[in-house]
Amino acid sequence: MTGLIETVRAPLFVPANRPERFAKAAASGADAVILDLEDAVADADKAAARAKLRCDFTDLPVMVRINASATSPHEADLAAVADLKPAAVILPKAELPSEIEAVSRQTDVPVIALIESALGLANARAIAGVDGAVRLAFGSIDYCADLGCEHLRDILLPVRTELVLASRLAGIAAPIDGVTAQLDDPRISHDDARHARDLGMTGKLCIHPKQIDAVKRAFAPTPAEIDWAERVLAAGDGAVSVDGAMVDAPVRIRARAILSRRD
């Protein structure tokens, strides 16, 4: 199942205390479902939400976003995840390698570290290198709240780049980008996901079914890219020319990467 987590592009959040929505989320076109015990569930409902966790409603990977390490529900969340054994557990407000180690040890479940603060970003390379960490994800809205900065692409460009670099250096799958809050225009989700893809990210968190198709299309290669990649690989070895541009080994690596993203 870890291999599936590494290729997830468009996972969809669903509140963990709304089990009547679980199957609908799985049928939405998402390639994974995230049962959310954190922001989507009020404090008074968290215990009931833990009791409703399940994975048997779908063959898709099911992940659980627990509450952060410093919060009171955290230990009970860990126990619930350890019993359930979902495909992955998402740790919000991840800031220290020791937090990832503890979650992995106590649940025996692959961990996705959600980077949402200055300290989390400063430790992203160490966090990505922890045994049990399978991917990083970017909680961009919380990150901006932590730093008091605007939620703008140019401001967040160094952060996204650092998460891609940290993942690459640790040898884990590329990171998952944060949510697009605007729900009424899928074009914005597509544009945001395309930006993340261009930076080297390979997935994006979704908070509404309307966003899923737009996000999946953004991470898939276009027909023009597929055509170019096929012609590059058919052009032969050594230094050759395609469309007037030189093709050598690094270009062939990019062509293979494009074709690997085809569904």
Side-chain angles (χ1 to χ4, degrees), residues 120-132:
L121 181 64
N123 289 325
R125 298 187 190 192
I127 289 171
V130 172
D131 285 343

Side-chain angles (χ1 to χ4, degrees), residues 74 78 89 91 99-108 111:
H74 181 72
L78 290 179
V89 56
L91 179 66
E99 295 173 339
I100 308 302
E101 292 167 353
V103 171
S104 177
R105 182 177 61 254
Q106 292 181 246
T107 65
D108 194 27
V111 183

Side-chain angles (χ1 to χ4, degrees), residues 213-242:
D213 180 64
V215 168
K216 291 172 77 172
R217 283 190 292 105
F219 284 104
T222 66
E225 289 173 325
I226 292 171
D227 175 68
W228 173 84
E230 289 178 339
R231 288 188 293 115
V232 163
L233 296 181
D237 297 330
V240 297
S241 175
V242 171

Side-chain angles (χ1 to χ4, degrees), residues 128-152:
V130 172
D131 285 343
V134 292
R135 287 182 88 168
L136 302 180
F138 184 27
S140 58
I141 296 175
D142 281 88
Y143 178 86
C144 290
D146 184 51
L147 270 72
C149 64
E150 293 295 322
H151 194 267
L152 298 172

Side-chain angles (χ1 to χ4, degrees), residues 44-263:
D45 298 329
K46 289 188 185 295
R50 280 192 293 271
K52 292 180 171 66
L53 292 175
R54 47 187 285 223
C55 296
D56 60 357
F57 59 89
T58 180
D59 292 330
L60 294 175
V62 176
M63 313 177 194
V64 177
R65 181 168 73 169
I66 60 176
N67 289 277
S69 299
T71 63
S72 57
H74 181 72
E75 290 299 322
D77 289 355
L78 290 179
V81 168
D83 289 340
L84 184 69
K85 290 289 184 290
V89 56
I90 300 177
L91 179 66
K93 313 293 188 299
E95 295 187 323
L96 300 171
S98 59
E99 295 173 339
I100 308 302
E101 292 167 353
V103 171
S104 177
R105 182 177 61 254
Q106 292 181 246
T107 65
D108 194 27
V109 169
V111 183
I112 296 175
L114 190 54
I115 304 299
E116 303 186 276
S117 68
L119 182 57
L121 181 64
N123 289 325
R125 298 187 190 192
I127 289 171
V130 172
D131 285 343
V134 292
R135 287 182 88 168
L136 302 180
F138 184 27
S140 58
I141 296 175
D142 281 88
Y143 178 86
C144 290
D146 184 51
L147 270 72
C149 64
E150 293 295 322
H151 194 267
L152 298 172
R153 281 186 193 171
D154 57 345
I155 292 172
L156 298 177
L157 175 60
V159 185
R160 290 188 166 100
T161 302
E162 172 60 18
L163 296 182
V164 171
L165 183 59
S167 301
R168 178 61 178 154
L169 291 173
I172 63 174
I176 305 171
D177 196 21
V179 304
T180 292
Q182 193 74 29
L183 300 177
D184 58 358
D185 189 348
R187 291 173 299 182
I188 298 175
S189 297
H190 180 272
D191 200 33
D192 286 349
R194 193 77 177 191
H195 173 69
R197 190 203 81 159
D198 290 347
L199 295 175
M201 294 181 148
T202 55
K204 181 174 176 62
L205 301 170
C206 298
I207 53 176
H208 194 283
K210 288 181 179 177
Q211 299 177 320
I212 294 167
D213 180 64
V215 168
K216 291 172 77 172
R217 283 190 292 105
F219 284 104
T222 66
E225 289 173 325
I226 292 171
D227 175 68
W228 173 84
E230 289 178 339
R231 288 188 293 115
V232 163
L233 296 181
D237 297 330
V240 297
S241 175
V242 171
D243 297 338
M246 186 186 76
V247 170
D248 57 5
V251 178
R252 292 189 185 91
I253 291 173
R254 177 168 175 261
R256 293 189 185 96
I258 288 172
L259 295 180
S260 73
R261 297 202 309 270
R262 286 189 296 190
D263 290 329

